[in-house]
Amino acid sequence: RVTLLVHTEQVGAHYALADVVVVPSRRPEAFGRVLAEAATAGRLVVAFLHGATGELAAALWEHGGADAVALPPAVELRQPGVLLLGSVFLVAPGAVRGLAAAIGWALDRPSAERTRRVEAAQQAVAARLSLDAFAERTLAVYAQAAVV
């Protein structure tokens, strides 16, 4: 069942209602904020692989550290052009059948697997995309530039 929701300033409420967040952008996006928001909200994501989507999914998936939740390797699914990377199902751009298959697979993930994948993504967003992480990396660049 698909529900289309009206615009709201309370974006978190929409994510809370979603079982899976689908990002079927027809054009590449420079950052892909929806993917980061959905990961923060603890939702699996299905998205076309173009623009920053693949890079952001890889950054979240590759996140490590002592507290990181262990994830299985990337999984190429039975549908050609669909890859499961952490909590994100990446689909070849414009592959509508692949998008539909990935949505079905996302909805069918066992609860324990879903939890493991979204918890890892939430940790990665906090570690890599939070304001504190951004400020820390920015200050490190300034410090490095001051040395040169």
Side-chain angles (χ1 to χ4, degrees):
R1 190 180 96 175
V2 175
T3 303
L4 300 177
L5 303 172
V6 297
H7 174 77
T8 181
E9 297 298 321
Q10 305 300 318
V11 178
H14 280 185
Y15 286 118
L17 293 172
D19 293 314
V20 173
V21 175
V22 181
V23 188
S25 302
R26 293 173 46 203
R27 295 183 196 165
E29 295 183 24
F31 176 69
R33 186 174 100 191
V34 172
L35 194 154
E37 290 173 346
T40 300
R43 298 297 178 253
L44 293 177
V45 176
V46 175
F48 282 138
L49 174 57
H50 54 66
T53 303
E55 184 179 345
L56 182 55
L60 298 181
W61 180 65
E62 293 169 352
H63 169 71
D67 298 335
V69 175
L71 282 177
V75 178
E76 188 166 354
L77 301 173
R78 295 178 300 267
Q79 177 76 28
V82 180
L83 177 72
L84 173 55
L85 194 61
S87 65
V88 183
F89 290 80
L90 296 168
V91 181
V96 177
R97 285 190 176 102
L99 188 73
I103 292 168
W105 289 325
L107 291 169
D108 290 343
R109 293 298 91 211
S111 179
E113 178 187 347
R114 178 186 294 257
T115 297
R116 189 173 75 247
R117 288 181 180 281
V118 298
E119 284 179 356
Q122 287 173 315
Q123 289 176 7
V125 168
R128 298 183 75 121
L129 302 177
S130 69
L131 181 58
D132 289 341
F134 176 77
E136 184 178 314
R137 286 192 310 277
T138 301
L139 292 174
V141 169
Y142 290 160
Q144 186 178 24
V147 173
V148 173

